[in-house]
Amino acid sequence: MTSNHTEDKQLQGITLESVLEKRRLDQALNAKEFAVCAGVSYSTARSWFHLAGFPSFRGVIFWQDFVQWRTGQNGFAAQAEDLPHHNGDTAAVSTLPPRAAQILLES
C-alpha cells in the first residue's frame, strides 16, 4: 500500500516511522517532516509555515505547538501550558511558540 506522502516528490525519503519517533520524543520537525506527520502536502505545510501566528520558529515546529494553534483556529479553548519561571528578561521569549519558549527558558 502506498501512502500519500510518497506521491509528493518533495517528501520522498521522509518516513512516517522516523517522523512519529521525533514527535514522540518532542523534537522539532522541519516542514517536510511536519507535512508527513500532519498528512498534508509539502506545499500546504510550507504555506502554513508562512501564515501569521503559525507557531514555527526558524523553519521548525514542535507538534504540541501545532496542536495548540490548530485548536485555537478551530475556535476551541486551548489548554495553556505554564512556562517555567525565569529570572531573566522574558519579553523576547513571549513572542515564541510555547515549546520553543519553554526550551529557551530552561537553558
Side-chain angles (χ1 to χ4, degrees):
M1 183 169 153
T2 305
S3 63
N4 289 340
H5 76 270
T6 58
E7 295 172 12
D8 189 334
K9 290 182 182 182
Q10 293 292 328
L11 301 179
Q12 289 179 348
I14 308 290
T15 65
L16 180 60
E17 294 79 18
S18 66
V19 172
L20 291 177
E21 181 66 7
K22 284 184 80 170
R23 183 176 121 181
R24 185 186 71 78
L25 296 171
D26 196 27
Q27 296 177 347
L29 304 170
N30 65 32
K32 290 182 180 185
E33 294 165 332
F34 171 76
V36 170
C37 195
V40 298
S41 69
Y42 178 59
S43 61
T44 297
R46 283 186 44 131
S47 69
W48 288 356
F49 268 60
H50 295 288
L51 288 175
F54 190 75
S56 62
F57 176 70
R58 294 190 180 183
V60 297
I61 187 169
F62 291 96
W63 186 256
Q64 69 185 32
D65 290 343
F66 167 68
V67 171
Q68 289 176 357
W69 175 82
R70 181 184 65 197
T71 300
Q73 294 296 306
N74 289 332
F76 298 109
Q79 295 178 352
E81 292 185 4
D82 293 331
L83 293 175
H85 297 289
H86 188 267
N87 292 334
D89 179 22
T90 58
V93 173
S94 67
T95 63
L96 299 175
R99 182 67 181 126
Q102 183 179 7
I103 289 170
L104 184 60
L105 288 174
E106 289 174 352
S107 64

